[in-house]
Amino acid sequence: MTAEETKPEVKGIKMEEVEKHSSVDDLWLVIDGKVYDVTPFMDDHPGGGEIMLSAAGKDGTQDFEDVGHSPHARELLKKYYLDEFAGGVGSGKIATKSGGGGMSLLAVLLPILVVALAFAAKMLTA
Ligand code: HEM
């Protein structure tokens, strides 16, 4: 018998676990106290898959609400419901701890800018 077997059922999923699913191939989001596995939705999201990544590893409620998603979007959400969110805070390694929409937008735009600059530099030196 192991210690694990005697542990009471832990209700919900902790941020520690949610954080492990923060890539385009495997994405869990915390919205309004619930955890969603939106991996199958990445390609179908009208706002794009990348933007959903900016809500990974943290409470994505604010990001989701900021967009003003339609009732249809909220209905869709149910399809991806996984479990209740058990709380906890992320390590901060994946996404910046809130800071508002500006920060996450920067996190999306910065890599694009870097690539564009590298491309420009290559063109100039060719
Ligand atoms: C995880 C669950 C999500 C679902 C089911 C979902 C669903 C949808 C749907 C159906 C639309 C089309 C417009 C509408 O019906 O409101 C939409 C648009 C959009 N979503 Fe989401 N979304 C999710 C998460 C997110 C997150 C976390 C973000 C931002 C971080 C985001 C950003 C956007 C943006 C920017 C648009 C507008 C796209 C445009 O009109 O060009 N979504 N989403």
Side-chain angles (χ1 to χ4, degrees), residues 29 31 38 41 45-47 51-52 54-55 63-64 67-70 72-73 76-77:
L29 293 181
I31 297 168
V38 296
F41 188 60
H45 182 225
I51 196 154
M52 291 207 295
S54 66
D63 289 6
F64 184 80
V67 176
H69 280 101
S70 66
H72 168 65
L76 264 177
L77 208 57

Side-chain angles (χ1 to χ4, degrees), residues 91-114:
S91 63
K93 269 186 292 194
I94 290 133
T96 40
K97 239 173 70 196
S98 108
M103 277 305 281
S104 47
L105 187 66
L106 188 69
V108 173
L109 289 180
L110 207 59
I112 299 171
L113 196 70
V114 169

